[in-house]
Each structure stands twice: as C-alpha cells, then as structure tokens.
Amino acid sequence: MEELRYRGKKREGRHRDTWDPFQLNPVGAEKEKKQRCLLVAQYIVAVLVGLAVLASAVVAKGSLLILSVLSSPKSLRDSKDQQFYMLMLMFCLVFPNVLVFLKSLWRCAFKTFVPPNMKTMAMICVIESLVSLGTSVLVLIVMPQFDILTNLFISGGVCIVSAVLQIVYRLQKETWKILFPICSLLLTTAGYCLLGMDYYVREASHVDRQKKDCFYYVGLGIFSSLLISFCWWENTMQAKNRMQKTLSELETFKDFVFVISSILRILVIGAVYLIYHKVMINSIKWSDFNLAGKDGDILQIGLVLFFLQAFCSAACHWFGVVACKINAVRMSFALPLCCTGPTVLGLGLVLFLTQTQKFDASNSEGILEFCANLHLLKNKNTTNVALFEMTRSICRTSLNSYYFQWPFAMLVLEGVCMWGGFVTCTYYVWKIKVQRIERTSQLFVRRLYESAFIDLSLLLNTKMKLPKAQTNENQDELQSVVIYLCATMWHETYDEMLKILTSMFRLDRYRGDPKEEHKDSFDFESHIFVDDAFMTQKETGKRLVNEYVEDLIHVVTEVYRVFTNKEPDDVSIIETPYGGRLMFVLPEGNMLYVHLKDKSRIRNKKRWSQIMYMYYLLGWKGYITKNPQKMPRMDTSRESLISMDGEIFLLPQYDNDNKRRFISDDNTYILALDGDTDFHPKAVVLLVDRLRMYYNVGAACGRIHPTGMGPMVWYQKFEYAVGHWLQKTAEHVFGSVLCSPGCFSLFRGSALMDDNILKKYTTTATRGAEYVQYDQGEDRWLCTLLLQQGWRVEYNAASDAYTNSPQEFKEFYNQRRRWGPSTLANTLDLLHSGKETVKRNQSISSLYIFYQMFTVGSSILGPASVTLMVGGAFQFIFKMDGAIAIVVACVPPVFYIIICFATKANTQITVAAVMSVLYAFLMTASFFSIIGDMVVQGTFLTPTGVFLVSMSIMYMVTAILHPEEFGLIIYGLMYFICIPSGYLLLTIYSLVNMNNVSWGTRESKEEGEQKKSQSILCNKNCRLCCCDMKIQITQEAKNPMLQQIAGLAIQKAPLLQITNHETKPQAASNPEPQTKLETTTEKVAELKNPPADKNKKAPLNDKDDSSINSDDEKKSISSDSSDSSDDDYDDFMNGDLEEMEDIPVSDWVEPVKEEFLKKLTYFNMKRNLQAQIRYTLRNKNQEDVCEDLILMLTDTLNIRLSNTGPEDILEQAEIDELQHELTNQARHILKNNKMMKLEKRVKRAIEKTLSAPQVQRLDESERDFWEKLIDRYLTPINDSEEHKRRVGKELKSLRNKSVFLYFIINVLWVVATFFLQLIGNDIISIKIPKFSAEKNVTEYLKVEPLSLMFLFSFAVLLLVQFLAMLYHRVYTLIHVVSYRGTEKNYKEKEPEDEEEDPTFENQYAVSLHSEDFQL
C-alpha cells in the first residue's frame, strides 16, 4: 500500500508539468537491498561449519587417544587385544597418506605430468621421511607408554620449529608481534621441562610401578616432536620468500612428489611398526589376528574407533577448508581448532567424574582405593572397555600417588604451557584475510594433513602470508580488474532492450562512482554493438538510423529517467568508419557506448561483432595503455562528461584507459552478452571470482534461464534445467565445460589474446564444414579454441542470467538447426585433437575424452532409441508383436526424412509440428503403458520400469537440491511427451538442412518484401517504368544514369560547422544546419517534395521503409551516395568559413541529436534541475539549503518559462539567459545560507541541466585503427556466384555424408534389436528373477541383452552426472555463502564537503586541478 501511494505521489508531481506524466518502470530497477534473512542464513552456516570442525576434531583426537590407551602395554587388555588396537592405530596414520596418494596418482595419470627435479625431490623425500619417522615413533612407540592426559598435552610440542623459524626470519609486520613466537618457544620448552619433572616425580614416588625406562620414552617423545615440527618448514620459507626457485619447482611437479612421498611415509610407518613391535619387543603374533567368535567385540571396537578417527580427521580437514572459503576464519576455523584440546579434556573429565561411579562397586573413599579396585572389573562383560581403560589411564598419573598428589599440578601446568605454545605460535591465523572461494593451495601449504594432530596440523598448515592470486601486490586485498560488458544486438524488441539496459544500470549502481574504491575491486565499461543499425530513406535517399536504433535511444532515455528521475546528462555523438557511436555517462559515472554498425561498411552478424570488440578493447585499448603517448588528449573545452555529483575529474572514457595501464591482460575481462540478457550484479561478481582465483580459467558461464510464454518455452525451461543441473556440472567437475554461451559469459583477456584463439577466430569460412563449425555456433567454437590451447572453461550455478527463448515452433526448430550440427562439429573437432588437448590442458584427461565420446555416441543413437521406445509403446498399447511394432515405429521417421529431402523448410516444420502433436499423444499413452506394465508384471524391475522410476527419483532429488528452481519439475511432463520431437524429428530436420547456413531467427519481415519491390522503380514525375528488367534498380543505387532515369537527384550531406565555442547547447528550434543549396538541387528537391513540406525536418526513422537485406553472402551491397561529400560544396563552405573547424557529419547525426535535444523542454529541464540539485547536495547537513534551492530555482524556472509549452524546446539565447538567471539566484541563496563553498558545485549542476548533446570527432589514431581493422578482417563479404555454388555443393555433400552416417548407425541399432525380437526371448535373453507371492514361485522376466546393455550404460551416465551435481552443489553453496558475507551494503554515502579549489586524486596517480579545465 505504501509503495502504491509513493508512486502515485511521484506521478502527481510529474503531472503538474506535463500532460504525459506516465512512464515505464522496468522489473529490477528498484534499488537492491541486503536481505537480512540471507545474512542470518550466512551466520547460521558459519556456526554450523564451526561446530562441524569442532565436533570432528574432538572425535578424531579422542578416538586416537583411546586407541593409544587400549594398545598400551600397561592397559588391562590381553596382548592379543593390544596388538590389534596397535594395528588400528597404525592404520590411522596410514589413511591420510593413502588419500593423498590416490588423489595425486589420479592427477599424474590423467592430468599434465611434469618430470621432477631429482635434487628438489630428494630433499622433499628426506624431510617427509623424517616427519613420518617422528609421527610413527611418537604415536606407535611413545604414546602407548604414557597416560592419556600426557598424550593429549604432548602433541602441542610439534610447533616448536615453526616458532623458531618465525623468530629467526622475523615474519611479523609489527615488531612487537615477535613476542608471540617467543612466548610459544618459551611455553613449549617449559612444557617439555614439566613433562620430564612429572615423570621424575612419578618414578621417585613409584606411581603405578613406574620404572626408570620412562625417561627414555620422554626423550624419545621430545625428539619425535621435533622431527614432526619440520613438517611445516615450507610455510615459513614461502612467507619469507626464501628458496623461491625450489618452491616454484616443487609447485610444478608436486603431484608426482606427493605420490612418492606418500609411499615413503607409508613404508616408514610400516617399518617402525614392524621393527619395534616385531623385532625389538616381539609383541606381534600373526596367529592372534584371527578374530572370530568371542573376539568379535574386539574387532568391533577397533574398527569403529579406526573409522571414527579416519573419517572425522578427513571431515575436519574438509570443513576447515570450507570455513576459510566462506570467510569465517575466526569463528569457524581458528576458534574451534584452538578449543579442540580443552574440549577433549573437558569431555574426558566429565566422563571420568560422572561415569566412574559405575566402576566403584565397593564405594571407595578415595582415588587411591578406587584405582586399586579397577583391576577387579577387568573381565566383567558389562564394562565399557574404552571408558574403563581411559579411567585406568588417568589412574597412572600422580593422582594415584601414595606419598603426595601435588605433582599432578605439574601435569596440568604442562598442558597449559603446551596449549598456550601452539596458540601463540599460530596467532597469525586470527588476523588472516582470505578472498572468496580462496583456492585450497593458497590457504594451506600442504595437501596432506596429520590425522594424529588434526587441530595443530590445520593451524600450522595455514599459510602465514597468503600469496597473491597471481600478480596482486597487496596479498590481503582483491585484484583490481576491468570488465568490458559487450552486448551484441540484432533486431531486438523494445522490451528485450529494456532488460539489457536495466541490467547495465543496475551494475552501475552497484559499482558506484568509478573514482571511489569498491569492495569487489572492479571497474567496468558497457558496450552495445548494434548490427544492421542503418537504413536508406525512400523519399530522400538519406542514410539514417533504423527503427531498432530509435527504440534503443528511447530505452536508454527511459531507463535513465527511472534510475535518476531525469534525462541523460552527457551524450556524445561520434561518426566512425564502421558507422557511428553514441557515448553516455551512466548515473554513477561509468561509461556506456553504443556502436552503430553499418553493414555496408563492416561485416554484420554476431561473430564479427565479437571480433570487432575484442580487437578494439583488447588490441587497440591494450596497445594505447602500454604506450601512454598514444592516448588521445583530453578535450579541455568540455566539462560535461562527469558523474552526477558534478565533481571535476579525469573524463570517464580516459580514466578507464588510464586505470587499464596498471592492470594486466590477465585481469582484463570481457562479459559477452546478448541484446536481451537480464542479470544482476551478483551474477557478474560470482563469475569474476572464478577468473580471479584460478589463473587457468579462460572463461566462465552462469546458469541461463529461458524466458517467455507458451509450450515451447515450457519445454525449454526443463531442457535448460536438465542441461545445467546434470550435463554442465558433470563437465565442470570431471573436466571442463565445452560451451560457454555468448548470452552471458565472462572471458579472460589474456586467454582470448593467446595464440591460435583470437587470430584463428577471425578466419573467414570458405569451405562447407567451416560454415557449420565457425558461423553456426560461434560461442562453442571459441570455447573449443580455448580448450585446445590449454584454458579451462567453468560453470557457476549461482550466477543467474535470463534470456528470451524461441516461443514459436518454427523459430525453435531453426535455432536448433544451427546449434545441433555446430555442437557435433566442435565436439568431434575436440575429440579428434584429444591427445594434444590432454597434453596442453590440465583440466582435460583421457577419461574425460572417453566420457565425451560416450555422450556423443548416446546422442547419435538418440533417434534409434526414441524409435525403439515408440515401438515399445505400440507393442504394449496395441498388443503388437515386438518385431512388427519396431517396423511400424520406423515408418514415421522414414516418412519425415523423405519429406525433408523433398519439400521446403517451412513445409518440413509444419509436418514436424503435426507429427510432434501425434507423438505427444503416443508418449502420454506410453507413460501410462509403462506404469501398466509394471502393475501387470508385479515389479518395476523391468528395463523400462527401472528407467522410469530411476529417472523420476533422480530428477526429483535434483530439483530438491535446487530449491529456487524446484518449480521447473512441473515442466518435466511436457519435456517427456516432447522427447520424439526433440530427439527424433529435430535431429532429422537439423541434419537434412545442414546445408542451410542462414541464421533463421530474428529475421526482419521487411527483408523479403524489399526483394520483391526491388525489380520495380517508378517516379510519378515521369512516366518511365522499369519492370522485370535485367538491370537491378535498388534504393541504394548511386549510378548517375539510373538516377536520371528515375528523375531523382540525391542530395549530398552538408557539413556541420562546429567551432570551439559550440560546446554550449545547440539551438533546438533549428537543429539542422543552415546551408546554401545549389539552384539545381533546390529545384530537384521541389520536384520531389511539395512546398509546404520543404522546411520540414527529417524524421528519425521511416517506419514504412524496408530494411536492407541482412544476408551479405547472398546480396551485394552498394555504397550509399549520402555518405560521400560534394567537393564543390566543400570548397564553397571552406571559403565562406575559413576561420572555423569543420566536422563533417552524415545525415543520421542530426536526427539523433534532435532526439536528445528533447532534454531541453520545459518539463524535462524542471525535473532534471531538481534531480541534479538533490544529488549534488545529498549530504544530510545540506538538506535545508537543498530544499531552498529547489524551491527558488523551480519558481524562477516557472516564471521565466510561463509562456512555454511543456514539450517546447528552448532557443539557445533563451537557454543562455535562463542559465545566467538561475546561477545568480543560486548564488544569492547560498550566500544567505552561508554556504558559498557549494557555489561551484551548484553552478555545475545548473550547467549540466542545460547542456546539450555534443557531436565529437573521432581521434585520428583510433580512426586509423578502425580503418585498418575493417580492411584486414571486417570488410563486408561479397562472395562471387561461383564461390556460392561451390560452397553450396560442399554443404550438400557434407549434409549427405552426415545423414548417411547417422542413418547407418541408427539403422544398425534398430536392425539388431529387430532381429533379437524376431529370434525370440527364449533363445537370446537375460533372465531377471521375480518372486510371485500368489503362486509362491520365482518367475523370470526375459529381456534382450542389447536393450538392457543400452539402458544400463545410460543409467551409469546419469548416475555419474548425478554424483557430479552433488559435488558441484556443495561448492556452489560455499560460494554463495561467501558472497553473501561480503555483499555490498546499499547505504547512501555522505560526500565530504568540497573546498574552494579542490584537487582530486585517484589510486592511479592521476591528479587534476580546476585550472586544468580552464579555456
């Protein structure tokens, strides 16, 4: 209700000033808010992860301590029990090494293998062997000799070497922080001293018959702890940048090193176990390991403790990584791990105090009597073995001393010292800063964790100084990146343009003023490339922008109004060699460029637009940023291109190029968009995270959601969902995504600039196969080039984007007719180069190539599989014989193949639509027939039953795991009944029409009409008519002879004269330049136009004019005479205006400029002035003076323009006079309010309100770049008829080969199934047992082996994809939680007061003074 009233109030305010107060309000234009529920959810997840870390660490540590107690020779267990528990203790040490071995072996076998440096490898192996020796000695030899409390405390000593190295290398940023490692060293040393003193007192007081050999174990324990502490030597070295060569070498072949070192560690652990327990004390008897019968309890306890320790230590490591990735280092990582030891101690004491009364049957009066009576309970079956031995171990401490018990305080003090030692040693973890989804290798030094000391291992393994994500100087901050948003438009509707512009304005609002720092550290520019942007006006022959550009201008203006309540402030119009450019400054100061492509000057279609912006943004802009002297100088005569607050600073278009100087190509990204894509800033930031964190990622794509209405959209919604849920996640997890869709994908600049990528992407298709691979699916081909060159393509499921999908059956089929053959061609190209790609690309393995071969084979057999499924439906519904049902099912596909070869495309699509409806009815019947078959058979364990049930369960679970998209499961039934249309008829249509390489979608209706009208050209002033002649007479013809025949003289475009003083607004009442036309030209114009219309301004667009044919390959494009200049006229103008600087403009410039001059109407000026003042004085302490200014200036405007209509445009003289009056009025108000320091800001706000769009000249160096780029790569294609015939033959030959291959493979599959049906199930079949409850017998279902094999293979493929989806879901959740924790808070910032003569500086050392802008 409040929102309705608010909108009504705003509308009433507009209605006072104009009769047209109504406006659009695009969905998503409202300001984003940080949702509290998501913030609460983020804290809940952090707490849960922290609890998981604590719980798993406590269980892992507790299990190891209990195993060490049970295996102790001083326990009350039999020797048989002790040696089994000792074996489990050894397995606990081996388990993490086995995990590392398997993972590293996988990477070495199926990823890139780098031969190791033997010297470095030998050093690593020696260190790893020593560490493994120390771990095995401490755990397998020393700990069983000690009590459980000593074992809990002694593990804290493994940090001593790390503390020493921190002191030696002085790693602390602040000098005083060296006290932390010093304290750690002192506390650990004191702990070791107290350990020795404690055992000295025990031996002297004969506690638990302690012998003098305990001192050997104390010394051995201290020595082994020192050996273990060498495990994290690399942490200190990388923090101090020591041994860089060794560490960098190690990074290249670390997988192989981990394979060898893990084997060595396992061998060392086994050797220590055998040497000590078999050779030295001979406690191992192999016959005792036969645990059966009454020894089952021992087996159960040992295995449970082993699995608890192994699983919980691995889980603790994983949850610790998750805690760091979600930016919860303190709460969910450091705090739980530091509390692990005290928590274990506390739980142990609670159990000791609460449960030991069960062991005290005689109600002992003291601890001595209690401990003395424990041996009586040794053989009782009701005794909890683990708890009993834990209690018995506590009785081995000084508490059980007959002389004095105060030495137990030394044991407590020892624990405090050891715990304080490792906490102070790892103090840096509490201050560490991590980026979102930080790589595990950048969080931790080693891939291996020490399961015996899981808490200490994770803390000591955390890098003391996080390395930069590749080239970042400040390692605690994000890299600064530049993002170029590049949208390609081709005949988009008004609503579609509204989506992409709203998304760009949202990102501008999220980023904020580019002069200020942003927490996500990115800057961006928006570029829109409009294909087919011009038309030729019928009446005058002028080259003007077409209706699509007109709509785009209206959309930009409308969205600007919605976001700022005013018109665009700063608009520039620039003529370029490829057509034209419109330049806007978005509300927050970021740039928007609209590139208008004239297809008579530059190639159209999406791939060439991509090449255009890649060369411009990566090639040209990268070149001038590396050569600052090449940068165009700033036009100091203009101060309008600034952000809405009116502050003077380096103009945005130059500021972005200046920032690019300090950003490498690795951190330069291109966001490829379609003209109808709708996205939010979150989606862009999540994709940036992927490229920012992982250097080898060349591209990343998001989750694409099709939008629209109707059955075809419903089908595509579920199809897209399944494709992203299962297929794309499987590609991401097992290898690399094969296609990053061009509607929403982020590309790394250095990846696109790599060899054999952008250069090869410019290849013009000359052969039939190239037309299919290069031009029908340019996005997939670009990704194929990236993969073949070694780059990885990733998928982020949380990055959502929405794009329009085909809503008509014909449009859908034509779109997939392009996609299908292109997908197959690029996948086969990748498989063909599989060996080389595996060598170059670390993300692609031989197994992944095999996986893709399997998926390609499945897709090729799709038509046959659908045909057999239809045959099964016939068999069950109509009670047909299996062989006859297959024959009947083959008739419709064969019929449609004949139709496709014999008729035109429109007829083929019509027939396919009718057959799709019939198939839908059949699939509905088939669905119920499968259910009926399961009921009849009494089991679902039939091939079709298992397939249906498993698919339903899998899709349901998958949808549940995507809660925001769960509703899409409703469209699953639509998808199911359309399977024959999508996998059978569409495949046939795509293959048979492979020779058709036209786009097929978004074609303009006028194109066909124009071709028909081109054969006739009549002039009512002469009675000459040329009809059906061999000479082509088109609207673009400039042949003088044909012009004379038609009686039409083309008027040349005059030159627009602009002087240095023309930075002020142009007069709107006479926007066209005053020119002196030649007498003959005037006469011709009078013949063409009636006198009454002589001075009428040219319209921005002629809606009735037919567009130029967009197919450059089928029609030659002649030059437009309006683009050329009349030399005589130029000489005349130059002679008349020798002192002026001439900027020649084309016919399209003035109508576009007139559209933006509507800003100077009374209604728009009033609204703009109010918005400018409010934004300029948005500080809270400026509210009063702001309202005074708005009130008084609005009154001045009302009085001054009282006789002006709301839609009238003011003259230049009126604007100058109005500006002077408003400025004086504002100065008077500010003086009365004693706020004169704001005078300059208010004055600039008034100037911006009254500023007009500017016509600018393109920099000469950039013009030269465009001319050379067009000449080299983007010259419009004009193929000869011979070339077209040759390519047509090649395409038909390729089509025939592909159809034949598909046909043969599918026929062989169908024929094999047919003959198996013909032979009968009794001869060749697989029997599936089925128990019949009624007959009380076991019956058998007979299934053909071929069908069962195919279903089994398909089920395995789906299961693999399902598991990949589960893995991907977890890491998507981690990324989302991490983002929500660092999401921007949309609070209004209060600008600081401006000084009288300010100097503005940015982080890139550009300093400008106000004097720099003086004329």
Side-chain angles (χ1 to χ4, degrees), residues 1243-1399:
K1243 180 181 178 180
R1244 286 194 293 270
I1246 296 173
E1247 291 174 353
K1248 286 166 65 71
T1249 302
L1250 302 178
S1251 63
Q1254 304 294 314
V1255 178
Q1256 288 189 332
R1257 181 197 300 272
L1258 188 66
D1259 184 73
E1260 288 300 324
S1261 59
E1262 185 177 340
R1263 178 177 293 276
D1264 179 66
F1265 156 74
W1266 283 115
E1267 290 174 351
K1268 291 180 179 179
L1269 176 67
I1270 293 172
D1271 180 66
R1272 190 173 301 178
Y1273 299 113
L1274 299 176
T1275 304
I1277 298 175
N1278 187 14
D1279 293 330
S1280 63
E1281 293 297 327
E1282 180 183 357
H1283 174 80
K1284 294 177 183 177
R1285 285 195 298 269
R1286 179 177 62 82
V1287 172
K1289 290 181 180 179
E1290 291 180 358
L1291 286 170
K1292 287 185 178 180
S1293 175
L1294 179 65
R1295 185 269 310 270
N1296 295 335
K1297 292 178 182 177
S1298 302
V1299 171
F1300 178 77
L1301 179 64
Y1302 255 81
F1303 183 78
I1304 288 298
I1305 293 176
N1306 284 273
V1307 166
L1308 289 176
W1309 185 262
V1310 173
V1311 167
T1313 307
F1314 172 77
F1315 276 103
L1316 287 174
Q1317 288 280 356
L1318 201 62
I1319 293 173
N1321 290 341
D1322 295 332
I1323 300 176
I1324 302 177
S1325 63
I1326 295 177
K1327 296 180 179 180
I1328 300 177
K1330 181 194 70 170
F1331 179 76
S1332 177
E1334 297 179 357
K1335 302 179 182 179
N1336 198 21
V1337 294
T1338 301
E1339 300 178 350
Y1340 293 93
L1341 293 176
K1342 298 178 180 179
V1343 184
E1344 316 89 73
L1346 201 61
S1347 300
L1348 186 63
M1349 180 189 69
F1350 179 77
L1351 286 177
F1352 179 75
S1353 302
F1354 189 69
V1356 170
L1357 178 63
L1358 288 178
L1359 180 61
V1360 167
Q1361 293 179 345
F1362 181 76
L1363 295 176
M1365 182 273 300
L1366 294 177
Y1367 179 86
H1368 194 267
R1369 279 278 86 191
V1370 172
Y1371 282 92
T1372 300
L1373 176 63
I1374 292 172
H1375 196 177
V1376 171
V1377 172
S1378 176
Y1379 169 77
R1380 293 301 181 186
T1382 58
E1383 190 177 8
K1384 178 180 177 179
N1385 195 0
Y1386 288 90
K1387 290 183 179 179
E1388 295 292 338
K1389 293 184 178 180
E1390 299 181 0
E1392 298 179 359
D1393 292 340
E1394 190 183 59
E1395 300 295 334
E1396 288 296 324
D1397 187 19
T1399 300

Side-chain angles (χ1 to χ4, degrees), residues 58 62 65-66 147-150 152-153 340-357 359 367 370 386-387 390-395 397 399 408 411-413 415-416:
V58 168
L65 292 174
I66 292 175
D147 60 87
I148 192 171
L149 294 179
T150 303
L152 175 63
F153 300 150
T340 298
T343 304
V344 172
L345 178 62
L347 286 176
L349 292 178
V350 168
L351 290 175
F352 177 76
L353 296 175
T354 59
Q355 300 296 320
T356 50
Q357 58 183 354
F359 305 142
I367 186 67
F370 171 79
L387 189 59
M390 183 189 74
T391 306
R392 173 72 182 86
S393 181
I394 293 176
C395 288
T397 65
L399 285 175
F408 182 76
L411 182 61
V412 175
L413 191 58
V416 172

Side-chain angles (χ1 to χ4, degrees), residues 534-535 541-545 573-581 596 598 600-601 1051-1058 1071-1073 1098-1100 1120-1125 1143-1154 1255-1256 1263:
F534 293 89
M535 69 174 186
K542 292 183 178 180
R543 194 74 167 151
L544 304 176
V545 295
I573 305 171
I574 305 172
E575 263 201 285
T576 61
Y578 56 80
R581 180 188 301 169
L596 307 177
D598 189 342
S600 64
R601 299 183 179 185
Q1051 181 182 356
K1052 305 301 180 181
L1055 298 178
L1056 177 62
Q1057 308 301 325
I1058 296 183
E1072 295 186 357
L1100 178 63
D1120 183 15
S1121 61
S1122 63
D1123 295 334
S1124 61
S1125 300
I1143 301 181
V1145 295
S1146 297
D1147 296 324
W1148 66 270
V1149 174
E1150 279 303 315
V1152 171
K1153 184 177 179 181
E1154 289 176 19
V1255 178
Q1256 288 189 332
R1263 178 177 293 276

Side-chain angles (χ1 to χ4, degrees), residues 39 41-54 318-337 429-438 443-444 459 462 1374-1375 1377-1382:
L39 186 63
Q42 191 253 344
Y43 279 111
I44 292 175
V45 171
V47 170
L48 292 177
V49 171
L51 291 176
V53 171
L54 179 61
W318 186 80
F319 280 115
V321 173
V322 171
C324 295
K325 287 179 179 288
I326 65 174
N327 290 289
V329 178
R330 294 184 183 180
M331 182 172 65
S332 302
F333 182 73
L335 180 61
L337 292 177
V429 178
W430 294 83
K431 293 292 184 180
I432 206 169
K433 293 182 180 180
V434 296
Q435 302 176 28
R436 284 195 297 265
I437 62 167
E438 187 77 72
L443 288 170
F444 300 104
L459 288 173
T462 306
I1374 292 172
H1375 196 177
V1377 172
S1378 176
Y1379 169 77
R1380 293 301 181 186
T1382 58

Side-chain angles (χ1 to χ4, degrees), residues 483-489 504 525-531 578 581 593 595 597 602-603 605-622 660 668-675 740-749 752-753 758 761-762 778-779 782 1265-1266 1269 1273-1274:
I483 308 171
Y484 294 108
L485 276 64
C486 299
T488 54
M489 284 192 174
M504 290 178 174
E525 285 181 2
S526 297
H527 294 261
I528 298 176
F529 293 80
V530 185
D531 266 315
Y578 56 80
R581 180 188 301 169
Y593 300 88
H595 304 264
K597 294 176 58 180
I602 192 169
R603 293 184 194 178
K605 292 191 175 180
K606 185 175 180 178
R607 179 159 75 97
W608 304 112
S609 293
Q610 290 178 330
I611 292 170
M612 178 181 172
Y613 65 66
M614 288 177 188
Y615 266 90
Y616 174 54
L617 301 174
L618 301 178
W620 169 248
K621 288 206 169 189
R660 176 84 181 272
T668 302
Y669 305 148
I670 287 182
L671 182 64
L673 302 166
D674 278 351
S740 186
C743 59
F744 188 71
S745 294
L746 191 68
F747 293 90
R748 188 187 299 275
L752 295 173
M753 298 166 70
L758 184 53
Y761 197 56
T762 61
E778 64 286 331
D779 306 328
L782 180 59
F1265 156 74
W1266 283 115
L1269 176 67
Y1273 299 113
L1274 299 176

Side-chain angles (χ1 to χ4, degrees), residues 201-216:
V201 173
R202 292 191 197 185
E203 189 274 334
S205 352
H206 303 288
V207 175
D208 197 39
R209 301 172 185 174
Q210 193 68 256
K211 299 180 181 179
K212 290 187 178 182
D213 60 349
C214 64
F215 299 116
Y216 297 108

Side-chain angles (χ1 to χ4, degrees), residues 8 12 93 334 553 569 615 631 640 656 680 687 733 822 827 885 887 920 957 961 1199 1201:
E12 289 177 3
L93 300 182
I553 292 173
D569 286 326
Y615 266 90
M631 284 189 179
S640 62
N656 288 338
H680 284 263
L687 291 185
V733 172
S822 171
T827 305
V887 173
V957 174
L961 293 175
I1199 296 172
L1201 304 179

